[in-house]
Amino acid sequence: PPRPAAPPPPPPPGRAAAPPGPPAAPAPAARAARRRRPLRGGAAVGRPARSGKPATRPPACPYPRGMRAVPASLDPAVVRRVDARLDAVVRDEGVAVPLAVESGSRAWGFPSPDSDYDCRFVYVRPEADYLDPWPRRDVVETPRDAVLDVNGWDLVKAVRLLVRGNATLLEWLRSPIVYRGDPAFRADLLALAERVVDRDAVRRHYLHVALGQRERWWTADDVPLKKLFYVLRPAATLRWLRVRPDAVP
């Protein structure tokens, strides 16, 4: 076998040793980790991906998951399609969906044989998106067909409408049909509603809904039974508000 290389000779007396050479270059994985530093809220900055957009991931949700209430009366195949739509929103938009419910006649208890599935959700973007001087749309819509109508609001939009007296978010929060959600998230929004909701504005909201449905359908010779309930539901809500002056619907 070849002899091992001899160590370098010691420096002559009176001469200092040569300084050490430059540090070794970091490994490729370490260089990549330095280029892509995570930000608060789940976003990350770094070199753009091949698609031209920076790599992002959904924001970390601080609420425990596990809230789901889907009755057996719903078509399991359609429910799977709803879940797939919501998964696609999370993946393609890079958002978290802490609440997704059924709205409309199925949630209100009087669906007709031709009723579609109205899934509504609240989503949260990464923190960096809310700090961007060019904000994104505050609505996410998926293609509508004869069976599915799935769309949602950004949390900021939902809270702003809640403060103005729009009761739509209140109905979502109290829907008995929940596709996915975080109990603490819903409890936090309900607690916020207790503090900020203007009952007079909510009354005007339901009065406007009732009058609009009556003017649209009750002038016809044959009023569908389902449309009659569209008028009776907000009318019953108005009476509920009158007999419970301190409650939030």
Side-chain angles (χ1 to χ4, degrees):
R3 295 180 180 180
R15 180 178 299 180
R31 292 197 300 267
R34 291 180 183 177
R35 287 198 301 266
R36 190 175 184 276
R37 298 177 181 177
L39 295 175
R40 294 176 59 190
V45 294
R47 293 184 178 178
R50 292 186 178 181
S51 62
K53 298 180 180 180
T56 60
R57 59 184 176 85
C61 186
Y63 300 96
R65 302 180 184 276
M67 183 179 174
R68 186 174 175 90
V70 177
S73 58
L74 270 60
D75 187 339
V78 178
V79 172
R80 287 193 294 270
R81 291 183 58 194
V82 171
D83 290 336
R85 290 273 185 105
L86 294 172
D87 291 339
V89 168
V90 172
R91 179 184 66 250
D92 299 341
E93 298 290 333
V95 300
V97 177
L99 183 67
V101 303
E102 180 70 16
S103 181
S105 59
R106 293 185 184 276
W108 302 332
F110 50 85
S112 59
D114 61 345
S115 292
D116 59 357
Y117 285 71
D118 299 305
C119 174
R120 300 293 181 262
F121 59 89
V122 178
Y123 64 89
V124 183
R125 292 193 178 276
E127 181 180 344
D129 288 352
Y130 296 108
L131 301 177
D132 196 317
W134 294 275
R136 302 189 183 187
R137 287 191 65 202
D138 53 9
V139 176
V140 170
E141 298 166 319
T142 68
R144 183 174 180 176
D145 55 37
V147 179
L148 291 184
D149 181 10
V150 180
N151 59 72
W153 290 348
D154 188 287
L155 177 61
V156 175
K157 175 186 179 71
V159 172
R160 285 175 177 169
L161 291 177
L162 176 69
V163 173
R164 296 174 186 172
N166 188 308
T168 301
L169 180 61
L170 289 172
E171 295 184 359
W172 296 0
L173 293 171
R174 299 191 187 279
S175 173
I177 303 176
V178 182
Y179 293 107
R180 64 182 62 179
D182 299 318
F185 178 84
R186 186 174 71 166
D188 287 348
L189 283 182
L190 286 172
L192 176 66
E194 292 282 351
R195 297 195 301 268
V196 304
V197 162
D198 183 349
R199 286 172 51 88
D200 291 336
V202 172
R203 279 193 289 264
R204 291 192 296 270
H205 168 87
Y206 282 109
L207 179 61
H208 175 76
V209 171
L211 294 178
Q213 292 292 332
R214 187 184 69 173
E215 293 173 0
R216 180 178 180 182
W217 296 106
W218 285 26
T219 56
D221 296 333
D222 186 14
V223 180
L225 182 61
K226 183 177 179 180
K227 306 306 179 183
L228 176 64
F229 280 106
Y230 279 4
V231 179
L232 293 178
R233 187 186 69 88
T237 304
L238 288 170
R239 183 182 183 280
W240 188 92
L241 288 168
R242 179 169 59 84
V243 300
R244 292 172 175 82
D246 298 327
V248 175

